[in-house]
PDB file of all heavy atoms in Angstrom:
ATOM      1  N   THR A1186     -12.602  33.453  -1.772  1.00 95.00           N
ATOM      2  CA  THR A1186     -11.486  32.522  -1.859  1.00 95.00           C
ATOM      3  C   THR A1186     -10.167  33.276  -1.752  1.00 95.00           C
ATOM      4  O   THR A1186     -10.099  34.481  -2.029  1.00 95.00           O
ATOM      5  CB  THR A1186     -11.506  31.735  -3.179  1.00 95.00           C
ATOM      6  OG1 THR A1186     -11.298  32.638  -4.281  1.00 95.00           O
ATOM      7  CG2 THR A1186     -12.832  31.002  -3.371  1.00 95.00           C
ATOM      8  N   GLU A1187      -9.134  32.544  -1.358  1.00 96.00           N
ATOM      9  CA  GLU A1187      -7.818  33.159  -1.153  1.00 96.00           C
ATOM     10  C   GLU A1187      -6.744  32.093  -1.348  1.00 96.00           C
ATOM     11  O   GLU A1187      -6.723  31.090  -0.640  1.00 96.00           O
ATOM     12  CB  GLU A1187      -7.746  33.721   0.262  1.00 96.00           C
ATOM     13  CG  GLU A1187      -6.378  34.211   0.698  1.00 96.00           C
ATOM     14  CD  GLU A1187      -6.315  34.483   2.189  1.00 96.00           C
ATOM     15  OE1 GLU A1187      -6.975  33.757   2.959  1.00 96.00           O
ATOM     16  OE2 GLU A1187      -5.586  35.410   2.574  1.00 96.00           O
ATOM     17  N   GLU A1188      -5.884  32.289  -2.332  1.00 97.00           N
ATOM     18  CA  GLU A1188      -4.776  31.357  -2.542  1.00 97.00           C
ATOM     19  C   GLU A1188      -3.638  31.680  -1.573  1.00 97.00           C
ATOM     20  O   GLU A1188      -3.314  32.842  -1.340  1.00 97.00           O
ATOM     21  CB  GLU A1188      -4.259  31.431  -3.974  1.00 97.00           C
ATOM     22  CG  GLU A1188      -5.165  30.743  -4.974  1.00 97.00           C
ATOM     23  CD  GLU A1188      -4.480  30.498  -6.313  1.00 97.00           C
ATOM     24  OE1 GLU A1188      -3.235  30.651  -6.398  1.00 97.00           O
ATOM     25  OE2 GLU A1188      -5.190  30.149  -7.277  1.00 97.00           O
ATOM     26  N   VAL A1189      -3.064  30.620  -1.013  1.00 98.00           N
ATOM     27  CA  VAL A1189      -1.972  30.786  -0.053  1.00 98.00           C
ATOM     28  C   VAL A1189      -0.758  30.016  -0.557  1.00 98.00           C
ATOM     29  O   VAL A1189      -0.827  28.793  -0.758  1.00 98.00           O
ATOM     30  CB  VAL A1189      -2.368  30.285   1.348  1.00 98.00           C
ATOM     31  CG1 VAL A1189      -1.225  30.519   2.333  1.00 98.00           C
ATOM     32  CG2 VAL A1189      -3.638  30.966   1.823  1.00 98.00           C
ATOM     33  N   HIS A1190       0.338  30.728  -0.777  1.00 98.00           N
ATOM     34  CA  HIS A1190       1.587  30.134  -1.237  1.00 98.00           C
ATOM     35  C   HIS A1190       2.673  30.389  -0.188  1.00 98.00           C
ATOM     36  O   HIS A1190       2.660  31.415   0.500  1.00 98.00           O
ATOM     37  CB  HIS A1190       2.017  30.732  -2.578  1.00 98.00           C
ATOM     38  CG  HIS A1190       1.059  30.444  -3.700  1.00 98.00           C
ATOM     39  ND1 HIS A1190       1.276  29.453  -4.639  1.00 98.00           N
ATOM     40  CD2 HIS A1190      -0.132  31.016  -4.021  1.00 98.00           C
ATOM     41  CE1 HIS A1190       0.274  29.428  -5.495  1.00 98.00           C
ATOM     42  NE2 HIS A1190      -0.597  30.377  -5.143  1.00 98.00           N
ATOM     43  N   CYS A1191       3.600  29.481  -0.098  1.00 98.00           N
ATOM     44  CA  CYS A1191       4.728  29.630   0.824  1.00 98.00           C
ATOM     45  C   CYS A1191       5.860  30.325   0.078  1.00 98.00           C
ATOM     46  O   CYS A1191       6.437  29.766  -0.863  1.00 98.00           O
ATOM     47  CB  CYS A1191       5.176  28.264   1.339  1.00 98.00           C
ATOM     48  SG  CYS A1191       6.433  28.355   2.636  1.00 98.00           S
ATOM     49  N   SER A1192       6.174  31.531   0.485  1.00 97.00           N
ATOM     50  CA  SER A1192       7.185  32.322  -0.213  1.00 97.00           C
ATOM     51  C   SER A1192       8.573  31.716  -0.037  1.00 97.00           C
ATOM     52  O   SER A1192       8.812  30.899   0.855  1.00 97.00           O
ATOM     53  CB  SER A1192       7.186  33.755   0.321  1.00 97.00           C
ATOM     54  OG  SER A1192       7.650  33.775   1.662  1.00 97.00           O
ATOM     55  N   ALA A1193       9.487  32.159  -0.877  1.00 97.00           N
ATOM     56  CA  ALA A1193      10.876  31.709  -0.761  1.00 97.00           C
ATOM     57  C   ALA A1193      11.456  32.101   0.594  1.00 97.00           C
ATOM     58  O   ALA A1193      12.255  31.360   1.180  1.00 97.00           O
ATOM     59  CB  ALA A1193      11.712  32.304  -1.895  1.00 97.00           C
ATOM     60  N   PHE A1194      11.059  33.254   1.115  1.00 97.00           N
ATOM     61  CA  PHE A1194      11.530  33.704   2.422  1.00 97.00           C
ATOM     62  C   PHE A1194      11.068  32.747   3.516  1.00 97.00           C
ATOM     63  O   PHE A1194      11.864  32.334   4.380  1.00 97.00           O
ATOM     64  CB  PHE A1194      11.022  35.108   2.702  1.00 97.00           C
ATOM     65  CG  PHE A1194      11.332  35.611   4.087  1.00 97.00           C
ATOM     66  CD1 PHE A1194      12.638  35.872   4.484  1.00 97.00           C
ATOM     67  CD2 PHE A1194      10.304  35.815   4.997  1.00 97.00           C
ATOM     68  CE1 PHE A1194      12.913  36.322   5.768  1.00 97.00           C
ATOM     69  CE2 PHE A1194      10.576  36.272   6.276  1.00 97.00           C
ATOM     70  CZ  PHE A1194      11.882  36.523   6.668  1.00 97.00           C
ATOM     71  N   TYR A1195       9.792  32.377   3.496  1.00 97.00           N
ATOM     72  CA  TYR A1195       9.278  31.456   4.504  1.00 97.00           C
ATOM     73  C   TYR A1195       9.902  30.071   4.361  1.00 97.00           C
ATOM     74  O   TYR A1195      10.178  29.394   5.357  1.00 97.00           O
ATOM     75  CB  TYR A1195       7.761  31.361   4.408  1.00 97.00           C
ATOM     76  CG  TYR A1195       7.033  32.543   5.018  1.00 97.00           C
ATOM     77  CD1 TYR A1195       5.800  32.962   4.513  1.00 97.00           C
ATOM     78  CD2 TYR A1195       7.560  33.224   6.102  1.00 97.00           C
ATOM     79  CE1 TYR A1195       5.129  34.034   5.073  1.00 97.00           C
ATOM     80  CE2 TYR A1195       6.897  34.302   6.665  1.00 97.00           C
ATOM     81  CZ  TYR A1195       5.674  34.702   6.150  1.00 97.00           C
ATOM     82  OH  TYR A1195       5.015  35.764   6.709  1.00 97.00           O
ATOM     83  N   GLN A1196      10.143  29.640   3.135  1.00 97.00           N
ATOM     84  CA  GLN A1196      10.811  28.352   2.941  1.00 97.00           C
ATOM     85  C   GLN A1196      12.210  28.380   3.550  1.00 97.00           C
ATOM     86  O   GLN A1196      12.665  27.404   4.150  1.00 97.00           O
ATOM     87  CB  GLN A1196      10.880  28.018   1.454  1.00 97.00           C
ATOM     88  CG  GLN A1196       9.531  27.699   0.821  1.00 97.00           C
ATOM     89  CD  GLN A1196       9.637  27.465  -0.671  1.00 97.00           C
ATOM     90  OE1 GLN A1196      10.380  26.589  -1.120  1.00 97.00           O
ATOM     91  NE2 GLN A1196       8.903  28.243  -1.457  1.00 97.00           N
ATOM     92  N   GLN A1197      12.882  29.514   3.399  1.00 97.00           N
ATOM     93  CA  GLN A1197      14.217  29.651   3.980  1.00 97.00           C
ATOM     94  C   GLN A1197      14.152  29.601   5.502  1.00 97.00           C
ATOM     95  O   GLN A1197      14.985  28.947   6.148  1.00 97.00           O
ATOM     96  CB  GLN A1197      14.851  30.974   3.523  1.00 97.00           C
ATOM     97  CG  GLN A1197      16.259  31.219   4.052  1.00 97.00           C
ATOM     98  CD  GLN A1197      17.262  30.172   3.592  1.00 97.00           C
ATOM     99  OE1 GLN A1197      17.204  29.703   2.460  1.00 97.00           O
ATOM    100  NE2 GLN A1197      18.180  29.794   4.480  1.00 97.00           N
TER     101      GLN A1197
END
Side-chain angles (χ1 to χ4, degrees):
T1186 65
E1187 171 192 34
E1188 284 195 12
V1189 182
H1190 296 259
C1191 187
S1192 68
F1194 174 67
Y1195 282 149
Q1196 291 176 57
Q1197 181 62 37

